[in-house]
Amino acid sequence: MKKLFGYPEFDKNGEKILTTYNNEYSDMMMDIRVYRLEAGETREFMRKDEEMAVLLLSGNIVFAWEGNREKADRKDVFTEGPWCVHVCTGTSVSVTAESPSEILVQCTKNKKEFSAKLYRPKDAPWVYSCKGKFGDVARRRVSTIFDYETAPYSKMVLGEVLNDRGNWSGYLPHRHPQPETYYFKFDRPEGFGASFVGDHVFKSTDGSFSAIPGGELHPQAAAPGFQMYTCWMIRHLDGNPWLQTDRCEDESYTWLHDAE
């Protein structure tokens, strides 16, 4: 039976599995995992017939790929922007941790070859969305690391959202035919929120994730007092990529645009 939400844990090797091509979340069409690295630890990643994005969530690491080396530092997802290496099939990326670190690895099947790219914080700046709208309770910061507009060779979209405390994101309620996965973090361990997937509602907690099938409405909310981070990952459909302009808001709520 397919599932819509998960509360995975890190195993003894520091790996946390979210979605795969054959687990209960296979509708996402992506393989997404999170890793914890101890200081001095190196992990190497390479996928055949798959593209891969390696995103730093926190810590101090050194990326190495195709003869390149780049040091990346990120205190946490709430105060500093993303570092990410995006590569095509058969390209190896190694990550060496200089302090305890956490990374997210997003993959999908794609045989197309393309040049590897390193994204720095300056390449994916935070932009406020819905500032002053809907009573100012849907204000959040959005960062798009890459999408169809900037990486048309990719079959994935990768970005981040920071909810202001107690605020909503994914608002107005909207849908699109492409599947999307949200990975949540909170600025305090007891932080929580609500994740809506169609008519289902789940308690989002630190390290949980939402697997949103195509066509389902998916607004989110953070509880007052807590800042919520969401890593959002979309899988393009063949012949139907997700576009920023394709956001389809539910007509039941569009009156809110003029409610002020």
Side-chain angles (χ1 to χ4, degrees):
M1 181 177 178
K2 299 297 175 65
K3 298 174 68 176
L4 302 175
F5 207 86
Y7 300 92
E9 300 287 343
F10 288 100
D11 65 17
K12 63 180 180 180
N13 297 314
E15 180 184 54
K16 178 195 290 191
I17 299 174
L18 279 62
T19 70
T20 72
Y21 304 121
N22 52 22
N23 70 359
E24 302 97 327
Y25 308 97
S26 59
D27 285 350
M28 298 299 99
M29 302 168 64
M30 294 180 284
D31 188 298
I32 304 170
R33 305 174 189 228
V34 181
Y35 295 89
R36 281 179 175 167
L37 285 73
E38 299 299 327
E41 181 180 358
T42 297
R43 283 186 181 265
E44 186 167 347
F45 305 93
M46 193 276 285
R47 294 293 188 100
K48 180 176 173 54
D49 297 331
E50 297 175 50
E51 64 176 289
M52 176 174 61
V54 183
L55 172 68
L56 175 62
L57 297 175
S58 63
N60 308 88
I61 65 171
V62 177
F63 283 118
W65 74 101
E66 296 185 327
N68 301 294
R69 289 176 61 85
E70 185 80 23
K71 185 174 181 179
D73 301 325
R74 193 178 196 185
K75 179 182 178 182
D76 56 53
V77 296
F78 303 100
T79 56
E80 297 180 343
W83 290 84
C84 176
V85 173
H86 184 204
V87 300
C88 70
T89 171
T91 302
S92 174
V93 178
S94 75
V95 176
T96 299
E98 297 185 339
S99 67
S101 303
E102 193 169 296
I103 60 173
L104 180 146
V105 179
Q106 176 196 17
C107 304
T108 197
K109 294 178 181 178
N110 185 0
K111 295 182 180 180
K112 184 178 293 186
E113 295 186 358
F114 55 84
S115 299
K117 184 167 183 178
L118 170 70
Y119 294 89
R120 299 174 173 86
K122 67 179 181 180
D123 300 316
W126 297 109
V127 178
Y128 261 108
S129 178
C130 290
K131 193 171 185 179
K133 294 179 66 69
F134 317 132
D136 211 29
V137 295
R139 182 178 59 183
R140 69 272 191 187
R141 284 172 285 171
V142 181
S143 169
T144 303
I145 299 170
F146 62 84
D147 61 6
Y148 187 75
E149 182 178 345
T150 60
Y153 43 79
S154 174
K155 292 190 176 182
M156 306 190 300
V157 178
L158 176 62
E160 300 181 317
V161 175
L162 278 180
N163 283 51
D164 283 6
R165 290 175 176 83
N167 276 16
W168 289 74
S169 59
Y171 207 82
L172 296 178
H174 68 285
R175 57 168 63 89
H176 41 74
Q178 301 83 6
E180 183 169 16
T181 303
Y182 286 162
Y183 180 63
F184 301 105
K185 293 180 73 67
F186 287 83
D187 60 347
R188 293 181 61 91
E190 72 273 23
F192 69 98
S195 177
F196 295 77
V197 184
D199 293 328
H200 302 276
V201 186
F202 303 91
K203 181 180 180 180
S204 47
T205 57
D206 191 60
S208 64
F209 74 97
S210 185
I212 306 157
E216 295 286 1
L217 294 174
H218 48 282
Q220 318 289 320
F226 302 105
Q227 193 171 27
M228 183 174 79
Y229 162 90
T230 306
C231 180
W232 54 283
M233 296 160 279
I234 298 175
R235 185 13 167 113
H236 296 306
L237 299 178
D238 291 342
N240 187 13
W242 178 86
L243 304 174
Q244 296 274 3
T245 54
D246 285 349
R247 183 185 180 92
C248 185
E249 296 175 339
D250 191 284
E251 292 183 358
S252 301
Y253 305 101
T254 54
W255 62 269
L256 283 162
H257 282 300
D258 303 316
E260 282 71 42

